[in-house]
Every structure is written in structure tokens, then in C-alpha cells.
PDB file of all heavy atoms in Angstrom:
ATOM      1  N   VAL A   1      45.743  10.673  22.755  1.00  0.00           N
ATOM      2  CA  VAL A   1      45.738  12.061  22.305  1.00  0.00           C
ATOM      3  C   VAL A   1      46.817  12.800  23.075  1.00  0.00           C
ATOM      4  O   VAL A   1      46.816  12.810  24.307  1.00  0.00           O
ATOM      5  CB  VAL A   1      44.373  12.737  22.550  1.00  0.00           C
ATOM      6  CG1 VAL A   1      44.403  14.178  22.034  1.00  0.00           C
ATOM      7  CG2 VAL A   1      43.255  11.949  21.893  1.00  0.00           C
ATOM      8  N   VAL A   2      47.750  13.408  22.344  1.00  0.00           N
ATOM      9  CA  VAL A   2      48.823  14.186  22.968  1.00  0.00           C
ATOM     10  C   VAL A   2      48.523  15.670  22.755  1.00  0.00           C
ATOM     11  O   VAL A   2      48.575  16.168  21.626  1.00  0.00           O
ATOM     12  CB  VAL A   2      50.197  13.820  22.388  1.00  0.00           C
ATOM     13  CG1 VAL A   2      51.272  14.751  22.947  1.00  0.00           C
ATOM     14  CG2 VAL A   2      50.544  12.366  22.712  1.00  0.00           C
ATOM     15  N   CYS A   3      48.186  16.351  23.829  1.00  0.00           N
ATOM     16  CA  CYS A   3      47.927  17.794  23.780  1.00  0.00           C
ATOM     17  C   CYS A   3      49.256  18.544  23.846  1.00  0.00           C
ATOM     18  O   CYS A   3      50.099  18.244  24.698  1.00  0.00           O
ATOM     19  CB  CYS A   3      47.041  18.210  24.941  1.00  0.00           C
ATOM     20  SG  CYS A   3      45.439  17.379  25.012  1.00  0.00           S
ATOM     21  N   SER A   4      49.433  19.513  22.970  1.00  0.00           N
ATOM     22  CA  SER A   4      50.711  20.230  22.909  1.00  0.00           C
ATOM     23  C   SER A   4      50.891  21.217  24.050  1.00  0.00           C
ATOM     24  O   SER A   4      52.015  21.458  24.502  1.00  0.00           O
ATOM     25  CB  SER A   4      50.834  20.965  21.571  1.00  0.00           C
ATOM     26  OG  SER A   4      50.832  20.055  20.499  1.00  0.00           O
ATOM     27  N   GLY A   5      49.782  21.815  24.515  1.00  0.00           N
ATOM     28  CA  GLY A   5      49.901  22.835  25.548  1.00  0.00           C
ATOM     29  C   GLY A   5      50.535  24.110  25.007  1.00  0.00           C
ATOM     30  O   GLY A   5      50.816  24.239  23.813  1.00  0.00           O
ATOM     31  N   THR A   6      50.751  25.048  25.902  1.00  0.00           N
ATOM     32  CA  THR A   6      51.403  26.312  25.546  1.00  0.00           C
ATOM     33  C   THR A   6      52.534  26.572  26.532  1.00  0.00           C
ATOM     34  O   THR A   6      52.302  26.717  27.736  1.00  0.00           O
ATOM     35  CB  THR A   6      50.401  27.491  25.598  1.00  0.00           C
ATOM     36  OG1 THR A   6      49.369  27.264  24.637  1.00  0.00           O
ATOM     37  CG2 THR A   6      51.102  28.806  25.278  1.00  0.00           C
ATOM     38  N   ASP A   7      53.739  26.593  26.011  1.00  0.00           N
ATOM     39  CA  ASP A   7      54.915  26.839  26.852  1.00  0.00           C
ATOM     40  C   ASP A   7      54.949  25.907  28.067  1.00  0.00           C
ATOM     41  O   ASP A   7      55.182  26.324  29.200  1.00  0.00           O
ATOM     42  CB  ASP A   7      54.951  28.302  27.304  1.00  0.00           C
ATOM     43  CG  ASP A   7      55.096  29.266  26.135  1.00  0.00           C
ATOM     44  OD1 ASP A   7      55.761  28.892  25.149  1.00  0.00           O
ATOM     45  OD2 ASP A   7      54.530  30.374  26.198  1.00  0.00           O
ATOM     46  N   ARG A   8      54.646  24.615  27.794  1.00  0.00           N
ATOM     47  CA  ARG A   8      54.684  23.565  28.813  1.00  0.00           C
ATOM     48  C   ARG A   8      53.633  23.745  29.907  1.00  0.00           C
ATOM     49  O   ARG A   8      53.803  23.276  31.036  1.00  0.00           O
ATOM     50  CB  ARG A   8      56.090  23.453  29.422  1.00  0.00           C
ATOM     51  CG  ARG A   8      57.145  23.063  28.402  1.00  0.00           C
ATOM     52  CD  ARG A   8      58.478  22.802  29.046  1.00  0.00           C
ATOM     53  NE  ARG A   8      59.447  22.337  28.049  1.00  0.00           N
ATOM     54  CZ  ARG A   8      60.704  21.988  28.339  1.00  0.00           C
ATOM     55  NH1 ARG A   8      61.122  22.034  29.598  1.00  0.00           N
ATOM     56  NH2 ARG A   8      61.527  21.574  27.391  1.00  0.00           N
ATOM     57  N   VAL A   9      52.551  24.408  29.560  1.00  0.00           N
ATOM     58  CA  VAL A   9      51.409  24.562  30.465  1.00  0.00           C
ATOM     59  C   VAL A   9      50.174  24.015  29.767  1.00  0.00           C
ATOM     60  O   VAL A   9      49.975  24.237  28.564  1.00  0.00           O
ATOM     61  CB  VAL A   9      51.199  26.040  30.851  1.00  0.00           C
ATOM     62  CG1 VAL A   9      49.961  26.199  31.723  1.00  0.00           C
ATOM     63  CG2 VAL A   9      52.425  26.586  31.567  1.00  0.00           C
ATOM     64  N   ILE A  10      49.331  23.279  30.489  1.00  0.00           N
ATOM     65  CA  ILE A  10      48.114  22.707  29.926  1.00  0.00           C
ATOM     66  C   ILE A  10      47.205  23.820  29.417  1.00  0.00           C
ATOM     67  O   ILE A  10      47.022  24.845  30.078  1.00  0.00           O
ATOM     68  CB  ILE A  10      47.369  21.872  30.986  1.00  0.00           C
ATOM     69  CG1 ILE A  10      48.225  20.689  31.423  1.00  0.00           C
ATOM     70  CG2 ILE A  10      46.023  21.376  30.454  1.00  0.00           C
ATOM     71  CD1 ILE A  10      47.674  19.947  32.637  1.00  0.00           C
ATOM     72  N   THR A  11      46.623  23.608  28.233  1.00  0.00           N
ATOM     73  CA  THR A  11      45.719  24.595  27.654  1.00  0.00           C
ATOM     74  C   THR A  11      44.343  23.990  27.428  1.00  0.00           C
ATOM     75  O   THR A  11      44.213  22.855  26.981  1.00  0.00           O
ATOM     76  CB  THR A  11      46.260  25.127  26.319  1.00  0.00           C
ATOM     77  OG1 THR A  11      46.593  24.029  25.473  1.00  0.00           O
ATOM     78  CG2 THR A  11      47.480  25.977  26.524  1.00  0.00           C
ATOM     79  N   SER A  12      43.324  24.778  27.729  1.00  0.00           N
ATOM     80  CA  SER A  12      41.942  24.305  27.675  1.00  0.00           C
ATOM     81  C   SER A  12      41.534  23.884  26.274  1.00  0.00           C
ATOM     82  O   SER A  12      40.831  22.888  26.098  1.00  0.00           O
ATOM     83  CB  SER A  12      40.999  25.401  28.187  1.00  0.00           C
ATOM     84  OG  SER A  12      39.670  24.961  28.200  1.00  0.00           O
ATOM     85  N   GLU A  13      41.986  24.634  25.255  1.00  0.00           N
ATOM     86  CA  GLU A  13      41.513  24.323  23.896  1.00  0.00           C
ATOM     87  C   GLU A  13      41.967  22.944  23.428  1.00  0.00           C
ATOM     88  O   GLU A  13      41.225  22.230  22.745  1.00  0.00           O
ATOM     89  CB  GLU A  13      41.935  25.406  22.903  1.00  0.00           C
ATOM     90  CG  GLU A  13      43.419  25.504  22.608  1.00  0.00           C
ATOM     91  CD  GLU A  13      44.175  26.387  23.575  1.00  0.00           C
ATOM     92  OE1 GLU A  13      43.580  26.851  24.564  1.00  0.00           O
ATOM     93  OE2 GLU A  13      45.375  26.622  23.332  1.00  0.00           O
ATOM     94  N   ASP A  14      43.175  22.539  23.794  1.00  0.00           N
ATOM     95  CA  ASP A  14      43.647  21.205  23.405  1.00  0.00           C
ATOM     96  C   ASP A  14      42.892  20.114  24.165  1.00  0.00           C
ATOM     97  O   ASP A  14      42.539  19.076  23.601  1.00  0.00           O
ATOM     98  CB  ASP A  14      45.143  21.070  23.666  1.00  0.00           C
ATOM     99  CG  ASP A  14      45.991  21.883  22.706  1.00  0.00           C
ATOM    100  OD1 ASP A  14      45.442  22.414  21.714  1.00  0.00           O
ATOM    101  OD2 ASP A  14      47.207  22.007  22.946  1.00  0.00           O
ATOM    102  N   VAL A  15      42.641  20.351  25.450  1.00  0.00           N
ATOM    103  CA  VAL A  15      41.879  19.389  26.244  1.00  0.00           C
ATOM    104  C   VAL A  15      40.454  19.286  25.718  1.00  0.00           C
ATOM    105  O   VAL A  15      39.865  18.193  25.684  1.00  0.00           O
ATOM    106  CB  VAL A  15      41.891  19.785  27.733  1.00  0.00           C
ATOM    107  CG1 VAL A  15      41.047  18.810  28.559  1.00  0.00           C
ATOM    108  CG2 VAL A  15      43.324  19.822  28.264  1.00  0.00           C
ATOM    109  N   LEU A  16      39.892  20.389  25.262  1.00  0.00           N
ATOM    110  CA  LEU A  16      38.545  20.367  24.701  1.00  0.00           C
ATOM    111  C   LEU A  16      38.500  19.543  23.413  1.00  0.00           C
ATOM    112  O   LEU A  16      37.532  18.809  23.175  1.00  0.00           O
ATOM    113  CB  LEU A  16      38.045  21.789  24.435  1.00  0.00           C
ATOM    114  CG  LEU A  16      37.592  22.550  25.678  1.00  0.00           C
ATOM    115  CD1 LEU A  16      37.367  24.012  25.362  1.00  0.00           C
ATOM    116  CD2 LEU A  16      36.323  21.923  26.252  1.00  0.00           C
ATOM    117  N   PHE A  17      39.523  19.659  22.583  1.00  0.00           N
ATOM    118  CA  PHE A  17      39.569  18.790  21.400  1.00  0.00           C
ATOM    119  C   PHE A  17      39.582  17.334  21.822  1.00  0.00           C
ATOM    120  O   PHE A  17      38.843  16.502  21.280  1.00  0.00           O
ATOM    121  CB  PHE A  17      40.802  19.074  20.536  1.00  0.00           C
ATOM    122  CG  PHE A  17      41.063  17.968  19.549  1.00  0.00           C
ATOM    123  CD1 PHE A  17      40.402  17.923  18.336  1.00  0.00           C
ATOM    124  CD2 PHE A  17      41.944  16.935  19.868  1.00  0.00           C
ATOM    125  CE1 PHE A  17      40.612  16.879  17.441  1.00  0.00           C
ATOM    126  CE2 PHE A  17      42.169  15.883  18.988  1.00  0.00           C
ATOM    127  CZ  PHE A  17      41.493  15.853  17.765  1.00  0.00           C
ATOM    128  N   ALA A  18      40.437  17.004  22.787  1.00  0.00           N
ATOM    129  CA  ALA A  18      40.523  15.623  23.254  1.00  0.00           C
ATOM    130  C   ALA A  18      39.171  15.141  23.761  1.00  0.00           C
ATOM    131  O   ALA A  18      38.743  14.012  23.460  1.00  0.00           O
ATOM    132  CB  ALA A  18      41.584  15.509  24.348  1.00  0.00           C
ATOM    133  N   GLY A  19      38.482  15.995  24.516  1.00  0.00           N
ATOM    134  CA  GLY A  19      37.173  15.623  25.026  1.00  0.00           C
ATOM    135  C   GLY A  19      36.144  15.445  23.938  1.00  0.00           C
ATOM    136  O   GLY A  19      35.313  14.515  23.984  1.00  0.00           O
ATOM    137  N   ALA A  20      36.176  16.331  22.945  1.00  0.00           N
ATOM    138  CA  ALA A  20      35.251  16.200  21.816  1.00  0.00           C
ATOM    139  C   ALA A  20      35.526  14.911  21.045  1.00  0.00           C
ATOM    140  O   ALA A  20      34.592  14.226  20.599  1.00  0.00           O
ATOM    141  CB  ALA A  20      35.382  17.410  20.898  1.00  0.00           C
ATOM    142  N   LEU A  21      36.798  14.561  20.913  1.00  0.00           N
ATOM    143  CA  LEU A  21      37.154  13.324  20.218  1.00  0.00           C
ATOM    144  C   LEU A  21      36.639  12.109  20.987  1.00  0.00           C
ATOM    145  O   LEU A  21      36.061  11.182  20.395  1.00  0.00           O
ATOM    146  CB  LEU A  21      38.668  13.243  20.038  1.00  0.00           C
ATOM    147  CG  LEU A  21      39.194  11.977  19.357  1.00  0.00           C
ATOM    148  CD1 LEU A  21      38.660  11.857  17.941  1.00  0.00           C
ATOM    149  CD2 LEU A  21      40.714  11.954  19.354  1.00  0.00           C
ATOM    150  N   VAL A  22      36.841  12.095  22.287  1.00  0.00           N
ATOM    151  CA  VAL A  22      36.339  10.990  23.112  1.00  0.00           C
ATOM    152  C   VAL A  22      34.828  10.866  22.949  1.00  0.00           C
ATOM    153  O   VAL A  22      34.287   9.769  22.758  1.00  0.00           O
ATOM    154  CB  VAL A  22      36.705  11.209  24.591  1.00  0.00           C
ATOM    155  CG1 VAL A  22      36.014  10.155  25.465  1.00  0.00           C
ATOM    156  CG2 VAL A  22      38.215  11.146  24.794  1.00  0.00           C
ATOM    157  N   ASP A  23      34.143  11.991  23.012  1.00  0.00           N
ATOM    158  CA  ASP A  23      32.688  12.000  22.873  1.00  0.00           C
ATOM    159  C   ASP A  23      32.263  11.444  21.521  1.00  0.00           C
ATOM    160  O   ASP A  23      31.340  10.608  21.443  1.00  0.00           O
ATOM    161  CB  ASP A  23      32.178  13.430  23.046  1.00  0.00           C
ATOM    162  CG  ASP A  23      30.662  13.514  23.097  1.00  0.00           C
ATOM    163  OD1 ASP A  23      30.031  12.652  23.742  1.00  0.00           O
ATOM    164  OD2 ASP A  23      30.098  14.444  22.488  1.00  0.00           O
ATOM    165  N   ARG A  24      32.921  11.861  20.449  1.00  0.00           N
ATOM    166  CA  ARG A  24      32.579  11.378  19.102  1.00  0.00           C
ATOM    167  C   ARG A  24      32.835   9.879  18.981  1.00  0.00           C
ATOM    168  O   ARG A  24      32.048   9.159  18.362  1.00  0.00           O
ATOM    169  CB  ARG A  24      33.386  12.131  18.049  1.00  0.00           C
ATOM    170  CG  ARG A  24      33.117  13.623  17.981  1.00  0.00           C
ATOM    171  CD  ARG A  24      31.710  13.938  17.487  1.00  0.00           C
ATOM    172  NE  ARG A  24      31.502  15.375  17.432  1.00  0.00           N
ATOM    173  CZ  ARG A  24      31.765  16.145  16.375  1.00  0.00           C
ATOM    174  NH1 ARG A  24      32.258  15.581  15.275  1.00  0.00           N
ATOM    175  NH2 ARG A  24      31.536  17.433  16.411  1.00  0.00           N
ATOM    176  N   VAL A  25      33.934   9.402  19.532  1.00  0.00           N
ATOM    177  CA  VAL A  25      34.241   7.970  19.453  1.00  0.00           C
ATOM    178  C   VAL A  25      33.183   7.160  20.202  1.00  0.00           C
ATOM    179  O   VAL A  25      32.724   6.114  19.725  1.00  0.00           O
ATOM    180  CB  VAL A  25      35.654   7.678  20.006  1.00  0.00           C
ATOM    181  CG1 VAL A  25      35.867   6.180  20.177  1.00  0.00           C
ATOM    182  CG2 VAL A  25      36.719   8.257  19.068  1.00  0.00           C
ATOM    183  N   GLU A  26      32.775   7.633  21.365  1.00  0.00           N
ATOM    184  CA  GLU A  26      31.734   6.926  22.119  1.00  0.00           C
ATOM    185  C   GLU A  26      30.422   6.882  21.337  1.00  0.00           C
ATOM    186  O   GLU A  26      29.726   5.852  21.314  1.00  0.00           O
ATOM    187  CB  GLU A  26      31.532   7.594  23.472  1.00  0.00           C
ATOM    188  CG  GLU A  26      32.661   7.357  24.448  1.00  0.00           C
ATOM    189  CD  GLU A  26      32.328   7.799  25.853  1.00  0.00           C
ATOM    190  OE1 GLU A  26      31.825   8.933  26.012  1.00  0.00           O
ATOM    191  OE2 GLU A  26      32.577   7.024  26.786  1.00  0.00           O
ATOM    192  N   ILE A  27      30.081   7.978  20.695  1.00  0.00           N
ATOM    193  CA  ILE A  27      28.858   8.028  19.886  1.00  0.00           C
ATOM    194  C   ILE A  27      28.946   7.056  18.718  1.00  0.00           C
ATOM    195  O   ILE A  27      27.986   6.333  18.405  1.00  0.00           O
ATOM    196  CB  ILE A  27      28.600   9.464  19.391  1.00  0.00           C
ATOM    197  CG1 ILE A  27      28.227  10.372  20.571  1.00  0.00           C
ATOM    198  CG2 ILE A  27      27.498   9.489  18.332  1.00  0.00           C
ATOM    199  CD1 ILE A  27      28.177  11.845  20.220  1.00  0.00           C
ATOM    200  N   LEU A  28      30.109   7.007  18.067  1.00  0.00           N
ATOM    201  CA  LEU A  28      30.300   6.084  16.945  1.00  0.00           C
ATOM    202  C   LEU A  28      30.196   4.631  17.395  1.00  0.00           C
ATOM    203  O   LEU A  28      29.611   3.794  16.702  1.00  0.00           O
ATOM    204  CB  LEU A  28      31.657   6.334  16.276  1.00  0.00           C
ATOM    205  CG  LEU A  28      31.770   7.586  15.416  1.00  0.00           C
ATOM    206  CD1 LEU A  28      33.225   7.827  15.027  1.00  0.00           C
ATOM    207  CD2 LEU A  28      30.906   7.455  14.159  1.00  0.00           C
ATOM    208  N   CYS A  29      30.765   4.330  18.554  1.00  0.00           N
ATOM    209  CA  CYS A  29      30.679   2.964  19.081  1.00  0.00           C
ATOM    210  C   CYS A  29      29.225   2.570  19.311  1.00  0.00           C
ATOM    211  O   CYS A  29      28.798   1.470  18.949  1.00  0.00           O
ATOM    212  CB  CYS A  29      31.462   2.848  20.393  1.00  0.00           C
ATOM    213  SG  CYS A  29      33.255   2.841  20.186  1.00  0.00           S
ATOM    214  N   GLU A  30      28.469   3.489  19.887  1.00  0.00           N
ATOM    215  CA  GLU A  30      27.068   3.195  20.181  1.00  0.00           C
ATOM    216  C   GLU A  30      26.246   3.045  18.907  1.00  0.00           C
ATOM    217  O   GLU A  30      25.451   2.097  18.767  1.00  0.00           O
ATOM    218  CB  GLU A  30      26.486   4.304  21.053  1.00  0.00           C
ATOM    219  CG  GLU A  30      25.040   4.048  21.460  1.00  0.00           C
ATOM    220  CD  GLU A  30      24.507   5.121  22.393  1.00  0.00           C
ATOM    221  OE1 GLU A  30      25.293   6.004  22.808  1.00  0.00           O
ATOM    222  OE2 GLU A  30      23.303   5.071  22.711  1.00  0.00           O
ATOM    223  N   SER A  31      26.449   3.956  17.951  1.00  0.00           N
ATOM    224  CA  SER A  31      25.646   3.923  16.730  1.00  0.00           C
ATOM    225  C   SER A  31      25.982   2.730  15.847  1.00  0.00           C
ATOM    226  O   SER A  31      25.131   2.268  15.074  1.00  0.00           O
ATOM    227  CB  SER A  31      25.831   5.226  15.940  1.00  0.00           C
ATOM    228  OG  SER A  31      27.174   5.384  15.524  1.00  0.00           O
ATOM    229  N   ASN A  32      27.217   2.234  15.964  1.00  0.00           N
ATOM    230  CA  ASN A  32      27.631   1.079  15.172  1.00  0.00           C
ATOM    231  C   ASN A  32      27.568  -0.228  15.951  1.00  0.00           C
ATOM    232  O   ASN A  32      28.035  -1.264  15.482  1.00  0.00           O
ATOM    233  CB  ASN A  32      29.055   1.288  14.640  1.00  0.00           C
ATOM    234  CG  ASN A  32      29.123   2.356  13.562  1.00  0.00           C
ATOM    235  OD1 ASN A  32      28.720   2.132  12.428  1.00  0.00           O
ATOM    236  ND2 ASN A  32      29.612   3.531  13.922  1.00  0.00           N
ATOM    237  N   GLN A  33      26.979  -0.171  17.149  1.00  0.00           N
ATOM    238  CA  GLN A  33      26.820  -1.333  18.017  1.00  0.00           C
ATOM    239  C   GLN A  33      28.156  -2.041  18.267  1.00  0.00           C
ATOM    240  O   GLN A  33      28.267  -3.264  18.212  1.00  0.00           O
ATOM    241  CB  GLN A  33      25.801  -2.315  17.416  1.00  0.00           C
ATOM    242  CG  GLN A  33      24.395  -1.731  17.320  1.00  0.00           C
ATOM    243  CD  GLN A  33      23.380  -2.742  16.826  1.00  0.00           C
ATOM    244  OE1 GLN A  33      23.659  -3.538  15.935  1.00  0.00           O
ATOM    245  NE2 GLN A  33      22.200  -2.718  17.416  1.00  0.00           N
ATOM    246  N   LEU A  34      29.166  -1.221  18.566  1.00  0.00           N
ATOM    247  CA  LEU A  34      30.487  -1.739  18.875  1.00  0.00           C
ATOM    248  C   LEU A  34      30.689  -1.778  20.387  1.00  0.00           C
ATOM    249  O   LEU A  34      29.988  -1.097  21.142  1.00  0.00           O
ATOM    250  CB  LEU A  34      31.565  -0.855  18.231  1.00  0.00           C
ATOM    251  CG  LEU A  34      31.503  -0.695  16.710  1.00  0.00           C
ATOM    252  CD1 LEU A  34      32.543   0.305  16.253  1.00  0.00           C
ATOM    253  CD2 LEU A  34      31.696  -2.029  16.008  1.00  0.00           C
ATOM    254  N   GLU A  35      31.651  -2.556  20.796  1.00  0.00           N
ATOM    255  CA  GLU A  35      32.016  -2.614  22.221  1.00  0.00           C
ATOM    256  C   GLU A  35      32.386  -1.212  22.702  1.00  0.00           C
ATOM    257  O   GLU A  35      33.089  -0.461  22.015  1.00  0.00           O
ATOM    258  CB  GLU A  35      33.215  -3.545  22.408  1.00  0.00           C
ATOM    259  CG  GLU A  35      33.654  -3.725  23.836  1.00  0.00           C
ATOM    260  CD  GLU A  35      32.845  -4.787  24.569  1.00  0.00           C
ATOM    261  OE1 GLU A  35      32.370  -5.726  23.906  1.00  0.00           O
ATOM    262  OE2 GLU A  35      32.713  -4.663  25.786  1.00  0.00           O
ATOM    263  N   SER A  36      31.893  -0.829  23.874  1.00  0.00           N
ATOM    264  CA  SER A  36      32.225   0.483  24.415  1.00  0.00           C
ATOM    265  C   SER A  36      33.733   0.598  24.607  1.00  0.00           C
ATOM    266  O   SER A  36      34.389  -0.324  25.088  1.00  0.00           O
ATOM    267  CB  SER A  36      31.523   0.700  25.759  1.00  0.00           C
ATOM    268  OG  SER A  36      30.129   0.721  25.581  1.00  0.00           O
ATOM    269  N   ILE A  37      34.264   1.741  24.229  1.00  0.00           N
ATOM    270  CA  ILE A  37      35.703   1.955  24.336  1.00  0.00           C
ATOM    271  C   ILE A  37      36.081   2.158  25.801  1.00  0.00           C
ATOM    272  O   ILE A  37      35.294   2.698  26.597  1.00  0.00           O
ATOM    273  CB  ILE A  37      36.131   3.161  23.481  1.00  0.00           C
ATOM    274  CG1 ILE A  37      37.631   3.151  23.212  1.00  0.00           C
ATOM    275  CG2 ILE A  37      35.688   4.473  24.121  1.00  0.00           C
ATOM    276  CD1 ILE A  37      38.041   3.980  22.034  1.00  0.00           C
ATOM    277  N   ARG A  38      37.255   1.711  26.186  1.00  0.00           N
ATOM    278  CA  ARG A  38      37.729   1.876  27.561  1.00  0.00           C
ATOM    279  C   ARG A  38      38.493   3.197  27.664  1.00  0.00           C
ATOM    280  O   ARG A  38      39.422   3.439  26.894  1.00  0.00           O
ATOM    281  CB  ARG A  38      38.639   0.715  27.957  1.00  0.00           C
ATOM    282  CG  ARG A  38      39.020   0.731  29.440  1.00  0.00           C
ATOM    283  CD  ARG A  38      39.682  -0.570  29.857  1.00  0.00           C
ATOM    284  NE  ARG A  38      41.006  -0.708  29.294  1.00  0.00           N
ATOM    285  CZ  ARG A  38      42.120  -0.205  29.855  1.00  0.00           C
ATOM    286  NH1 ARG A  38      42.034   0.472  30.988  1.00  0.00           N
ATOM    287  NH2 ARG A  38      43.288  -0.384  29.293  1.00  0.00           N
ATOM    288  N   LEU A  39      38.076   4.022  28.610  1.00  0.00           N
ATOM    289  CA  LEU A  39      38.661   5.349  28.760  1.00  0.00           C
ATOM    290  C   LEU A  39      39.550   5.398  29.998  1.00  0.00           C
ATOM    291  O   LEU A  39      39.197   4.876  31.048  1.00  0.00           O
ATOM    292  CB  LEU A  39      37.568   6.409  28.895  1.00  0.00           C
ATOM    293  CG  LEU A  39      36.528   6.487  27.778  1.00  0.00           C
ATOM    294  CD1 LEU A  39      35.512   7.582  28.110  1.00  0.00           C
ATOM    295  CD2 LEU A  39      37.179   6.747  26.435  1.00  0.00           C
ATOM    296  N   THR A  40      40.687   6.059  29.860  1.00  0.00           N
ATOM    297  CA  THR A  40      41.507   6.336  31.033  1.00  0.00           C
ATOM    298  C   THR A  40      40.873   7.490  31.809  1.00  0.00           C
ATOM    299  O   THR A  40      39.955   8.169  31.322  1.00  0.00           O
ATOM    300  CB  THR A  40      42.938   6.713  30.626  1.00  0.00           C
ATOM    301  OG1 THR A  40      42.888   7.940  29.867  1.00  0.00           O
ATOM    302  CG2 THR A  40      43.581   5.615  29.791  1.00  0.00           C
ATOM    303  N   ASP A  41      41.382   7.731  33.009  1.00  0.00           N
ATOM    304  CA  ASP A  41      40.834   8.823  33.820  1.00  0.00           C
ATOM    305  C   ASP A  41      40.994  10.170  33.124  1.00  0.00           C
ATOM    306  O   ASP A  41      40.084  11.018  33.173  1.00  0.00           O
ATOM    307  CB  ASP A  41      41.523   8.864  35.187  1.00  0.00           C
ATOM    308  CG  ASP A  41      41.057   7.752  36.115  1.00  0.00           C
ATOM    309  OD1 ASP A  41      40.107   7.026  35.742  1.00  0.00           O
ATOM    310  OD2 ASP A  41      41.643   7.595  37.209  1.00  0.00           O
TER     311      ASP A  41
END
């Protein structure tokens, strides 16, 4: 996930999307009995 930021500064709303996406993917993996996804820091 590449967050665009604002004027080359990190923005919370983009990071929140990334976090929501990670959360949804983890839920999908669990509900579909898939291997847990490996997350970077």
C-alpha cells in the first residue's frame, strides 16, 4: 500500500485506509481458512 501523504508529509487518513485494509485481509484469511498473511512492521 502506497500512501500519497500531503505535501510529502505522512497523513493519518491514508495510514488509516492502509490499516483498515490490513485488518480486512486478515479477517478474510481467517474466515476462508487461509494461511495468515505476513505483515511488515
Side-chain angles (χ1 to χ4, degrees):
V1 181
V2 174
C3 301
S4 298
T6 298
D7 297 327
R8 298 187 176 182
V9 177
I10 297 170
T11 51
S12 182
E13 68 273 6
D14 289 350
V15 178
L16 283 169
F17 164 84
L21 178 62
V22 172
D23 187 41
R24 297 293 180 90
V25 169
E26 288 191 312
I27 291 170
L28 286 170
C29 286
E30 182 177 354
S31 63
N32 290 285
Q33 296 184 320
L34 302 175
E35 182 84 29
S36 296
I37 198 160
R38 188 168 71 86
L39 304 179
T40 64
D41 285 353

